[in-house]
Structures are given as C-alpha cells and as structure tokens.
Amino acid sequence: MKAVPMVEFWRGGLLESLHHGHAVVCDATGAIVEAWGDADAVIFPRSSCKMLQALPLVESGAADALGVGPSRLALSCASHQAAAVHTDLVTRWLGDLGLGDDDLRCGPQMPRDAEAMKEVLCKGESPCRIHNNCSGKHSGFLTLTRHLRAGPDYHLVDHPVQVAVRQAFEEVTGVASPGYGIDGCSAPNFATTVHGLARAMAFYAAAGDRSDTRSRAAARLVAAMTAFPELVAGEGRACTNLMRAMGGKVAVKTGAEAVFVAILPEQRMGIALKILDGAERASEAAIVALLIRLDALDPGHPVVKRYLTGPLTNYAGLAVGERRIAPGFAD
Amino acid sequence: MKAVPMVEFWRGGLLESLHHGHAVVCDATGAIVEAWGDADAVIFPRSSCKMLQALPLVESGAADALGVGPSRLALSCASHQAAAVHTDLVTRWLGDLGLGDDDLRCGPQMPRDAEAMKEVLCKGESPCRIHNNCSGKHSGFLTLTRHLRAGPDYHLVDHPVQVAVRQAFEEVTGVASPGYGIDGCSAPNFATTVHGLARAMAFYAAAGDRSDTRSRAAARLVAAMTAFPELVAGEGRACTNLMRAMGGKVAVKTGAEAVFVAILPEQRMGIALKILDGAERASEAAIVALLIRLDALDPGHPVVKRYLTGPLTNYAGLAVGERRIAPGFAD
C-alpha cells in the first residue's frame, strides 16, 4: 500500500504543499491498533531508534559498571543541539572514561543551538565531534566498548557494540533487519518496518510491567528520557517541548528524514511514523495529531499551536498560511 | 491526475525518501511538449515568478525613466542571499530613489550568505529589510510606485503596482489566477497552473523573436538574469551555479516550496515544476534532470554531480547515500 496524505500546507485559501506518510500505533502484544499508509513499509529509523541503540549499554551492565546515570542515559538517546548543557555533559562523560573528542567516530557538526553556534562562528573556530548531535549516543557506544574490552572503531557494523545493537534492535522490533545504512554520525542505522518500529516503542511502553533484564533496561531509558527532556534535544526543539507538554508521561523522539516515534507507558502503546519525503515540519505536525488522538497530549496546549494548529507567519510576522491534517489521517 | 514520483533518496541500497511532483515543458505557442503529473495543478509560483512581477517595471517605462539598468533588473528578479554585493546594490538603488530600508514592505531576514550572516550575528546586530531575499524585487516595486506616483503600500493587492503585476501575470501565463497568497516578503503571490507557469517561461524564451513592448521587456529581463547570475541568487546557490554552467544561455529561477522554472531561448521553450512536498533538494535535482533532457545542460558538468548524481555525504565526509531520478520521470 502507498503512503497516504498526512499533512497539508495552505496559503491564501489554497493547498500549497502536501506530505504523505506511513504511521502505525501498536499495542504491547505487537498488534496494530491503527495504521495509515503501509505498516510494512521499510524505513530507516535514523535517530528515532537511539533508545534501541542504547539498550545494550544498559542490559550489558556497562552503564552500571561505569557510572552512567539517568542524565547520561538521556544523552545516549539524544539528538542534542550542542548547547553548553549537552557538550559539558558529554565532555565530562568522555573524561570519566579517559577519552576525548578524537575517540568519537562521529564527524564534527555545527551546533544547532543558537548561542553555541554563535560562539563557534564568532570565535572563528570549527565545530568538534562533541558538537555532533549524536555525541551522547557515541559516548554510550564508547562506554559499552570499554565494558566489552573491544577495539576503538565501535562504529563499524561488525564491531561487538554494533553486533549487540543489531541483535537488540531486531528482537524488540520483531523484524529481521533487511539491511543497514550509514547514518549522519557514521554509525550503522538498521532498517526495519514502520510496524516493527512501533512494536519496539510499545515494548518500551509496557517495559515497566516486566522484570526481565531487557525490560528493566528499556524502562530505565524511558525514565531517563522523560526525566531530562532538555537533554534529549534542547530548548525550542520539538522532542523537548512535547515531552514537557505531556508532563513526562510520554517519551518521543525524532529521526532524520521525518521519522517520529512515541512511547506511551500509560496506554501501553507505541507510535512510529515516517513522512515519505523526509520533511521534519510534517513529522512534527503528524506526531502531535497522533498524540492528541491517543489522549496523551492536551489539544489546548500551546505546543499544539506551534507544531500544528497555529498560523504560519512570514518575515514581517504576518499570518500567511496554515497546516492542516489531511482528511482521513488522525482526524 | 496526481503528482508522480520524481526524485528518490537512497541509503544503504534502500529507498529512504521519495518526492512527487508536477512538471511541464512548454513551447512558444503555449502547447505542452512534455508533462509529468498534473499540468493543470494549481500552484503558487512564489519567487520563481519574479521575472513576471518585474514585467510592469520595464514595460511601463519606469525602469528607463529611473535609470534601472541590467544589474538592477537582475536584482528585481532575484532571491538573493544578502551578500555584500546584493545589499550594496539595493542600498544604492533605494538611495537613488531617495528611499531607505523603512520604505521596503518586506520583513527583515537573516542573510543566507555565510559571511554576511556572520557579520550580523557576531556584531550582535539584527537583520534589516534590505537583507530580505526579495529586497531587489521590492526596490523594483518602489521604482514602479514612483513612476506611477502611487502610494507607499505597494505590497497591497489593490495597489496600482500589484494590479499591474496581476494583469501581466495572467496575460503571460494565459490563466486567470484562481487566487493569491501573501508571500514571505508580504507581496501578493498569484496562483496559476504548472502549465500556465511553463507557458509564461516559454513566452520569455521566445521574446527575442518579437518586437512588441512586452516582449522586449521580457527579453531584457532574461538578458539581465543571464548576464548577472550571481545577483539572481548568490555564490554557491543553485540558480547562480546552473546559469553559469549553461554559459548564460538559459535563465533559471527557484521559488519557495520547491518550484523551479527555466527559460530556454535557444529551444524557445519554458519549464515549470513543483515538488508536491515543497523540498528544495528535490526541485533542484528535478530541474537539473529536465535541463539535461532538453540538451541545455552538459550531463558531465560538475553541477550535475552536485545537485543530482553526486554522492550524499555525512558529517564525517563519508558517502552515505545518493539521489536518483524516479523511473518514468525525465529518464
């Protein structure tokens, strides 16, 4: 089945642009509660699966053995914007391992945080690997590498860290990964289906009901994400704003190319969506619509205006357009 | 008819994202030579129609009466990135009219040019209206306003300037505009069909064959755009790079929400395309494919690698993916 219309952009009373996508809401048994588009569409989760990539870090005992507490666990699931709060924590984490910027295998990235970017730019400096939005995830990989006494190239697909990530990823998604791509941070990103990604999110949502090692690890990662929403992304970012708006009851995570997932412990449900064209503006609007539909987000909360119902303004501040959920999707 | 697949983004041997769109190649009679998707789809041309919005400036005699030469005509058709070369020219143009930043009706916009942005940011200043990518177009509007002895709010849809723009726009597109929206720069942007926009570009392409006032005005605007490609956009930008790559034989212009047009005088043809989801990365790849198809662009030129055939690299500089033209589109 094809992707279906999900998010419309209107201007002057006319439809200007349209985004199609796939979305699945899954329960704790792995069954589909609702789906739009093709639940079996193969996607790259990109950064939306960082809590899966962090699972071996916790379930192996590496996190406990090397003093990785909740804030560092949140950073290991983060696509941070390299504000001082993020880079300071990563620097300390690497320092505790006796490591530094050169030990990271992600490339350097200009900070997305306005103040941090201004500092790098105006000092005429170049961004470091620590500024990479994935540097927390990579610090987690380095922590597991140390625990496993493995080699320094933890980003290679046959390295023990990535072998463990792939196994955990395939087990919680319930899908043998059809392949992998190299992500923006140079780590392997394993492909799965939209259903598989939603199933994994539902596994995390219901993890608190179970006492096995993996479930306890998953529950700790969810608790870390919801306890430190500002570390998972940063001030002004959708993941941070949405987790705050839901009072820490729901964990959400975005991924490049317009993937968005949500973990809803109260409902014991997981959501995964992919906008076919990769537009973040549409994945943000779509996840907001689904969170409202599942009674996880108050439709009257200001973040709903910001990502879905509020006017689109131009450089002069005039309201020039609006977003609408396409008929038939989450309406 | 629906939009058709046009540009694919691949990673790890799997299709990651897909862009649909509409495209029309039109000849000087207004007939469709080739089309993909829905030629009658209604779109907002956005900045891709600046050479249409500049037509009254020239055909009214305002440009000649007020000393607007080729470089300023190029700027009137530009979505510039506010490099010094752009803002200096706009400042001088406004100065010659005895006007300044406050007389522009576009809002302030942070320069897209890296050096100019760095200067604004690092001096702790705020961007001005002159930095708006449309400030050249607005300087043209102000020039026509002066010539018509009209009021200062030239951006309002019932102002003589916009009335003249709408008439010219509807006549060269051959379509009664079904409506308008307010653009990023606060000027009205008149809707038309993809066919109508392509027909207008073909009118410009064959303008040199005719001697009427409008055709001579259109030919002057095409000559100005191709003579000053760096003014139409800026260093590193697709419009500038593509016009340079084609040796000034073809004028191209991008518009927000992934519209792209081309004026091909040698072929007496015009192209208009709209990517349904508004992604610039896809409109750039699609226009490159169509320019190659019409023998206007050398497939071996480096810009083809940059916008279509070259690898997609990550923060570490690794090749992680590729763009492909979707089967059935311009292949």
Side-chain angles (χ1 to χ4, degrees), chain B residues 71-155:
Chain B
S71 65
R72 290 180 182 184
L73 288 182
L75 266 180
S76 72
C77 302
S79 298
H80 66 70
Q81 58 192 10
V85 61
H86 305 117
T87 48
D88 291 352
L89 275 167
V90 169
T91 303
R92 282 211 297 278
W93 188 352
L94 292 173
D96 289 349
L97 293 169
L99 303 173
D101 199 72
D102 293 348
D103 298 298
L104 294 170
R105 292 294 178 260
C106 51
Q109 176 185 2
M110 182 60 72
R112 183 165 166 167
D113 176 78
E115 277 313 300
M117 181 182 73
K118 196 172 162 179
E119 193 173 328
V120 171
L121 270 182
C122 301
K123 284 186 178 173
E125 297 172 348
S126 298
C128 307
R129 295 172 177 183
I130 285 171
H131 293 113
N132 188 296
N133 76 88
C134 300
S135 64
K137 178 179 78 175
H138 283 247
S139 298
F141 286 157
L142 280 165
T143 301
L144 180 56
T145 297
R146 170 67 52 85
H147 188 70
L148 299 175
R149 297 186 169 74
D153 291 327
Y154 62 82
H155 64 302

Side-chain angles (χ1 to χ4, degrees), chain A residues 93-181:
Chain A
W93 187 353
L94 291 174
D96 289 350
L97 293 168
L99 303 172
D101 199 71
D102 293 348
D103 297 297
L104 294 170
R105 292 294 179 260
C106 52
Q109 178 185 359
M110 182 61 72
R112 183 164 166 167
D113 175 77
E115 276 313 301
M117 182 182 73
K118 196 172 163 180
E119 193 173 329
V120 171
L121 270 183
C122 301
K123 283 186 178 173
E125 297 172 346
S126 298
C128 306
R129 294 172 176 182
I130 285 172
H131 292 114
N132 187 296
N133 77 87
C134 300
S135 64
K137 178 180 78 175
H138 283 247
S139 297
F141 286 157
L142 281 166
T143 302
L144 180 56
T145 297
R146 170 68 52 82
H147 188 70
L148 299 174
R149 296 185 170 73
D153 291 328
Y154 63 82
H155 63 302
L156 301 180
V157 73
D158 57 357
H159 185 279
V161 164
Q162 301 306 332
V163 169
V165 167
R166 181 175 196 145
Q167 185 179 342
F169 181 89
E170 292 186 331
E171 287 171 6
V172 294
T173 55
V175 178
S177 176
Y180 71 94

Side-chain angles (χ1 to χ4, degrees), chain B residues 53-78:
Chain B
Q53 293 172 302
L55 204 44
L57 167 68
V58 183
E59 63 182 0
S60 68
D64 289 333
L66 291 157
V68 175
S71 65
R72 290 180 182 184
L73 288 182
L75 266 180
S76 72
C77 302

